[in-house]
Amino acid sequence: MPGHSAAQNASAAIQLEHVSVTYAGRRPALEDVSLMLPSGSHVAVIGPNGAGKSTLFNALLGLVPLAGGRIRLFGLSPQRARARIAYIPQRDQVDWQFPLTALDIALMGRVTHIGWRLKPRAADYAAAQSALERVDMWKMRATPIAELSGGQQQRLIIARALAQEAPLFLLDEPFNEVDASTQELLLDLFDELATAGRTLLVATHDLALARRRFPALLFLNRSVKGFGSPDEVFTPETLEKTYTKQVVKWDEGDALSSIVDAHTFSHNH
Ligand code: ADP
Ligand code: MG
C-alpha cells in the first residue's frame, strides 16, 4: 500500500520515493533511490567519487530537477523546506579570500532568521556566539577568514550551520583536509545534534571512520547498495557492490586506499 505508507510518513525528516536525477546528455547520476529517515537519523553517505553523493544533497536542496520520483522533507517539497536545511558544501566551493571575519561567517547562518529586518538582533548575535563557542572558535571571532587553517575554516562553516538552528544538516565531505582534533570535535558534535533530534546526512569516503562513528550507513553508487547499521551492512558484499572493480582499478585516490582498509578490517574481524 504505497499511498498509505506515504501518508503515514508525512512527518519523516527525509523521504525519497524512486528518485532519479539525470544531468543532460549523461547516464543517470541517481537511479530509483528510495529512503525514509525519521528525525534524529545520523547517516554516513558512502560511495566512490562520482557515486552521486553531492547530487543526492543537491536533490534534497531542490537544486537539481528530478527525472523521476518524489522528495519530501518534513512533509514538504525541497523548495518549501529549504530554510530547514543547513547545508555544508564540499570545502572547495567556498571562497576563503573574501574579506570577512569568523563572526561574519557565523552570522550568515542567521540570514533566514534576519530576513527583511536586514539587521541582526541580539538573538542573532547570541546564536552566532554560541555556535562559535561550540566549535571552539569564539576566541578567533575577529580573525579574517583567509588567515585561518583548513580545520579552523571548517569549524566556521559548521558554526554557520549551527547558528541557522535548522533541523536537517547535509554535510558534504566535512572531514576533508581537517586536522584530527577538528575531526573528533565534529564527530562529537554530530552525535550530540542527532541525540537532540536533528537529522544528519554526512557524505564521506572514509569507510573506516563511517563504520566506527556512525549508527547508520547508506552505501550509494547511483542506486542504494545498502542501508543499515554498520553491523548489518558493512560487509564485503556491500563494498563490492558500491565500489565496482572498474572504479577500484582507475581510481588511485582515497577510494582505493579506503577500500583496501575496508578489506583489511573485514578480514580482521
Ligand atoms: P559524488 O559527490 O559522489 O562524487 P556527484 O554527485 O558529484 O558524485 O556526481 C555524480 C555524477 O554526476 C558524476 O558522474 C558526475 O560527473 C555527474 N555530475 C555531477 N554534477 C554534474 C553537473 N552539474 N553536470 C553534469 N554532470 C554532473
Ligand atoms: Mg561530491
Side-chain angles (χ1 to χ4, degrees):
M1 281 189 289
H4 186 225
S5 68
Q8 273 186 338
N9 296 333
S11 63
I14 297 180
Q15 189 173 14
L16 288 91
E17 293 171 352
H18 307 290
V19 167
S20 296
V21 172
T22 307
Y23 296 105
R26 293 172 156 263
R27 68 174 197 159
L30 292 178
E31 202 166 22
D32 198 19
V33 172
S34 294
L35 190 66
M36 212 284 290
L37 299 176
S39 291
S41 296
H42 184 195
V43 182
V45 182
I46 302 170
N49 281 333
K53 303 183 295 295
S54 297
T55 298
L56 173 65
F57 287 0
N58 285 328
L60 294 169
L61 290 160
L63 297 176
V64 292
L66 304 188
R70 194 174 99 118
I71 295 179
R72 284 292 175 273
L73 305 171
F74 308 104
L76 305 170
S77 68
Q79 283 77 17
R80 292 194 55 205
R82 185 63 189 87
R84 303 187 192 199
I85 307 174
Y87 168 55
I88 292 82
Q90 272 182 253
R91 271 183 48 79
D92 52 15
Q93 292 175 24
V94 179
D95 180 5
W96 292 103
Q97 296 311 312
F98 223 76
L100 294 170
T101 65
L103 180 58
D104 294 329
I105 296 284
L107 276 171
M108 281 181 193
R110 300 297 298 175
V111 161
T112 54
H113 298 266
I114 295 167
W116 52 266
R117 290 188 277 113
L118 297 176
K119 280 199 172 156
R121 285 182 183 166
D124 301 310
Y125 283 107
Q129 174 170 353
S130 98
L132 286 170
E133 284 170 349
R134 182 62 189 79
V135 297
D136 202 15
M137 287 293 291
W138 177 242
K139 59 186 184 301
M140 308 203 73
R141 61 188 172 280
T143 307
I145 56 172
E147 293 172 19
L148 300 173
S149 72
Q152 289 169 333
Q153 290 176 343
Q154 189 64 319
R155 289 176 190 222
L156 267 195
I157 292 298
I158 304 294
R160 181 177 67 182
L162 283 178
Q164 199 182 326
E165 295 177 333
L168 172 58
F169 286 73
L170 303 178
L171 301 115
D172 204 345
E173 312 228 8
F175 309 118
N176 288 358
E177 299 170 61
V178 307
D179 53 282
S181 71
T182 297
Q183 179 171 299
E184 282 309 304
L185 181 144
L186 296 184
L187 286 164
D188 289 345
L189 172 60
F190 298 167
D191 279 339
E192 202 178 285
L193 290 168
T195 302
R198 317 282 191 99
T199 304
L200 292 91
L201 282 190
V202 184
T204 179
H205 52 246
D206 189 334
L207 285 165
L209 180 76
R211 182 190 203 189
R212 188 165 52 84
R213 291 296 302 262
F214 285 80
L217 309 178
L218 174 68
F219 284 89
L220 184 72
N221 195 347
R222 204 145 52 97
S223 58
V224 175
K225 305 299 183 185
F227 177 69
S229 69
D231 284 348
E232 289 164 343
V233 288
F234 203 99
T235 62
E237 294 75 38
T238 314
L239 291 169
E240 268 168 40
K241 274 193 248 169
T242 310
Y243 295 86
T244 61
K245 284 201 183 86
Q246 235 179 348
V247 171
V248 172
K249 236 185 229 166
W250 60 250
D251 189 342
E252 293 173 11
D254 292 336
L256 182 55
S257 53
S258 312
I259 193 104
V260 172
D261 281 358
H263 282 300
T264 315
F265 270 108
S266 43
H267 290 305
N268 288 346
H269 282 71

